[in-house]
Amino acid sequence: MTFRPSILPCLLLPLAVFATPALAAGQAPALPHAAVRVQDDLFLAANGAWLDRTTVPADKSEVYAADLPAIINARVRAIVDDLRRQPQPAGSDARKLVDYFDSEMDTAAIDRTGLGPVRAQLAAIDAIANPLELARWQGRVQGILKTPLWLWGGFADFKDPGTNRVLVMQGGLGLPDRDYYLNKGARMESARAAYLAYLATLAKLSGERHPRAAAQRVLALEKRLAAAHVPAAEATNPARVQPLAAAGLAGTAPGLDWQAFLAGAGIKAGETVNLVHPPGAAAIARLQHELPLDDWKLYFRLRTLDSAAPLLPEPFRAAHFAFRGKALGGQAVPAPRAERALDSLSAALGDALGQAYMHRHFSAQDKARVERIVEVDYLLKPISMERLGQALRKLEARALPNGPVAPKAPLEESSRIFIKDGERCHMVDLAAIRCFESCRNHVQVYFGNQHAYIRKALNAVEERFDHPFNAARKCLMPLVTCCVAKSQLIRKIANNCASLLFTYAYNRFALLSPVLALRVSLPQAQARQTQIIYRGATT
């Protein structure tokens, strides 16, 4: 199921964030592929067995190990059916959800209506008389049609997260991306041929007198658009993004009447937007000036029909599936009408649907768990100091329900300290301690002819001592400096020196690879159990 980005996390939270580790009924656990070694092909070793036994259904372009879309579709369908059983107030979100879904399912009414759903849009395109009106019309259809330069957002500014700005993106292609227009090879040529046939069918069904010629004109225009696009490898570079108002856009990408375009989209004069692909925008705006107005109008007619085809009579729906479902997606048969109607409902009324879904499938306990996650997540994102303070106070209140712990009194030279090192315990006079050595997140303590480890950082140990003791410990300073400078020197202290060997490994099986630290004691030191430490947690 395809979801708008705004509601996808809402619909998946009860399934993903709060899922138990138990497998769904009938779902086999992932097993290594017996015929493939991990060191030869990690992907096939991990997934080959599942790939061998899994087939893609005829009405699907993709399949999942855990079919979350199917689970969510069933839940959403149940929500709509339950709303239909009760009278809903006119104009309410509930009434809209039911009416939209039912109208999508009523194919007989769709077939009777003909081109009615798009007739007003096609008439508006026919009425465009000059480039100024073309720019204004493109602004007005934002959110309905992806124009060659289209608006998305707003989103937090890349360089000023406290400000939300609309993004100006490159787009307007009927094929998936620029490579489909420009690259050679049987696959790309087959896709272009299928697209040309689809455009010709749309042109014929909409009444064009020369549908094949019309399709060729539109494909030629889109090929020039594709050549103007920034390649995918460069398109996501945030360093290219430029915040500009209409005047700046006109200077960076002349050819499109930016003031009319932004005004048509409801963006106020002087307001800044983020131009995401400046080189592509400049080339696309230039094409809007160079190419004939009639070609642009024909192109927008066919793009409008393509976008609306699932809601048009059966010949349009069949042509849409033959190209987008079969030629591009590899489906043998269309997905059930109800499933496609749910996709469309989610795209059109995602906020209302998300609210109904969360009300049913997102409990108060789930909400509390998410809030705890968000509180920690705040620490990783640019936020206001006020919200950061609130998050920290909540975390502190949970960690310390009885209030802050009073600081311990500093140790004096006459004090005795208890040191637990593995299974060994020591009561040591502070005066007998010769030095402390910083060993990453541990401290090695030397006393008499022995030494032991304290699982604390050096600064945590140092906080317990008063200044006179600090003055007697100046010998630690070179060691600390050596550690900070990442020196390769292996430090030796007294006769029973211990050596630290740190081995770093990259864990290819985790999204965030932990750093492994392996501590090995030399034979001169008393034998103790080897420990493997993951980011400070001992196993």
Side-chain angles (χ1 to χ4, degrees):
M1 185 174 180
T2 302
F3 294 107
R4 290 176 56 195
S6 61
I7 68 163
L8 179 58
C10 299
L11 301 187
L12 290 181
L13 273 174
L15 291 172
V17 175
F18 310 107
T20 64
L23 292 169
Q27 181 183 344
L31 298 174
H33 198 292
V36 182
R37 302 190 310 169
V38 172
Q39 58 268 42
D40 294 334
D41 191 321
L42 176 61
F43 177 81
L44 285 180
N47 303 299
W50 181 82
L51 292 171
D52 289 346
R53 68 174 182 266
T54 303
T55 58
V56 180
D59 63 342
K60 298 288 189 297
S61 297
E62 56 195 11
V63 67
Y64 307 88
D67 200 351
L68 295 182
I71 297 171
I72 294 174
N73 269 351
R75 291 182 173 184
V76 172
R77 180 66 185 271
I79 289 171
V80 175
D81 290 343
D82 289 346
L83 291 175
R84 188 186 298 106
R85 294 187 185 99
Q86 302 292 332
Q88 305 296 339
S92 65
D93 286 344
R95 182 76 263 163
K96 291 176 184 177
L97 290 172
V98 173
D99 289 347
Y100 190 101
F101 180 81
D102 290 348
S103 65
E104 283 248 359
M105 294 295 293
D106 192 352
T107 54
I110 291 174
D111 291 341
R112 290 194 303 269
T113 305
L115 290 176
V118 294
R119 189 167 287 118
Q121 293 182 46
L122 298 178
I125 295 171
D126 291 340
I128 295 172
N130 53 59
L132 173 66
E133 294 180 1
L134 179 67
R136 185 179 295 114
W137 178 85
Q138 290 179 74
R140 284 201 294 263
V141 297
Q142 295 304 307
I144 301 173
L145 188 68
K146 278 190 179 179
T147 54
L149 291 167
W150 60 285
L151 305 178
W152 191 25
F155 298 100
D157 184 82
F158 294 100
K159 299 178 181 178
D160 180 14
T163 302
N164 288 339
R165 288 198 174 98
V166 171
L167 305 181
V168 181
M169 311 283 290
Q170 62 186 16
L173 302 180
L175 287 167
D177 58 51
R178 72 191 301 270
D179 290 348
Y180 279 78
Y181 297 86
L182 306 179
N183 288 7
K184 297 180 180 180
R187 177 168 167 263
M188 297 303 184
E189 291 171 2
S190 175
R192 287 194 289 268
Y195 187 43
L196 183 65
Y198 176 53
L199 291 174
T201 301
L202 293 179
K204 180 179 180 180
L205 292 173
S206 63
E208 289 288 335
R209 287 184 294 178
H210 306 288
R212 182 73 179 181
Q216 290 172 336
R217 285 167 60 194
V218 171
L219 184 59
L221 186 151
E222 288 193 27
K223 186 174 182 179
R224 295 193 64 178
L225 275 179
H229 275 213
V230 174
E234 306 170 22
T236 56
N237 183 359
R240 290 179 174 267
V241 177
Q242 297 182 16
L244 298 167
L249 291 165
T252 301
L256 174 68
D257 193 316
W258 287 96
Q259 186 172 352
F261 175 69
L262 296 177
I267 295 177
K268 298 177 181 179
E271 189 168 327
T272 299
V273 296
N274 275 337
L275 186 63
V276 178
H277 311 109
I284 292 169
R286 187 163 56 250
L287 289 177
Q288 300 232 3
H289 175 72
E290 293 176 355
L291 298 180
L293 180 63
D294 286 344
D295 284 1
W296 281 113
K297 292 168 67 173
L298 178 60
Y299 158 79
F300 281 120
R301 282 182 62 87
L302 296 192
R303 294 292 299 121
T304 299
L305 291 169
D306 172 39
S307 177
L311 302 177
L312 295 178
E314 173 58 26
F316 286 93
R317 300 197 297 272
H320 185 271
F321 170 75
F323 173 60
R324 301 215 171 271
K326 192 170 185 179
L328 290 185
Q331 295 174 240
V333 297
R337 182 71 188 180
E339 186 175 315
R340 287 176 282 153
L342 291 174
D343 289 348
S344 182
L345 177 67
S346 176
L349 295 170
D351 292 339
L353 181 59
Q355 290 177 10
Y357 187 98
M358 299 296 280
H359 179 73
R360 178 171 298 192
H361 297 288
F362 193 60
S363 66
Q365 292 79 5
D366 294 338
K367 180 180 179 181
R369 294 181 68 183
V370 170
E371 287 177 345
R372 289 197 292 272
I373 294 172
V374 171
E375 287 163 6
V376 175
D377 192 44
Y378 282 163
L379 304 177
L380 307 178
K381 296 181 179 179
I383 59 169
S384 69
M385 294 305 297
E386 180 182 357
R387 296 185 70 187
L388 175 61
Q390 291 174 356
L392 291 175
R393 285 191 292 273
K394 287 182 180 179
L395 290 172
E396 185 181 48
R398 292 195 180 101
L400 305 170
N402 298 322
V405 177
K408 296 181 180 179
L411 295 172
E412 299 178 354
E413 195 167 354
S414 59
S415 302
R416 302 190 76 198
I417 61 174
F418 175 77
I419 300 175
K420 188 177 187 302
D421 182 16
E423 296 180 355
R424 297 185 302 163
C425 299
H426 308 272
M427 286 297 296
V428 182
D429 290 329
L430 199 57
I433 295 177
R434 293 186 283 112
C435 64
F436 293 83
E437 180 188 9
S438 175
C439 302
R440 297 293 175 119
N441 59 345
H442 286 52
V443 170
Q444 191 165 203
V445 188
Y446 294 89
F447 52 95
N449 62 351
Q450 301 182 66
H451 63 89
Y453 279 93
I454 298 177
R455 293 179 184 177
K456 291 184 179 181
L458 182 61
N459 60 347
V461 175
E462 188 176 5
E463 289 175 355
R464 296 297 313 280
F465 302 125
D466 58 14
H467 291 290
F469 190 86
N470 287 337
R473 297 171 59 246
K474 290 184 178 179
C475 61
L476 278 178
M477 296 305 295
L479 295 175
V480 175
T481 304
C482 176
C483 180
V484 172
K486 299 181 180 178
S487 169
Q488 298 297 318
L489 178 65
I490 298 178
R491 298 177 299 277
K492 296 183 179 180
I493 302 177
N495 297 325
N496 57 348
C497 159
S499 173
L500 301 179
L501 171 64
F502 291 94
T503 302
Y504 298 94
Y506 177 67
N507 183 353
R508 299 178 64 188
F509 301 96
L511 184 60
L512 296 175
S513 59
V515 177
L516 298 150
L518 178 63
R519 188 185 78 195
V520 181
S521 298
L522 290 181
Q524 295 94 323
Q526 185 171 349
R528 52 170 75 90
Q529 185 179 2
T530 299
Q531 301 179 24
I532 294 184
I533 305 163
Y534 292 80
R535 295 197 185 280
T538 304
T539 61

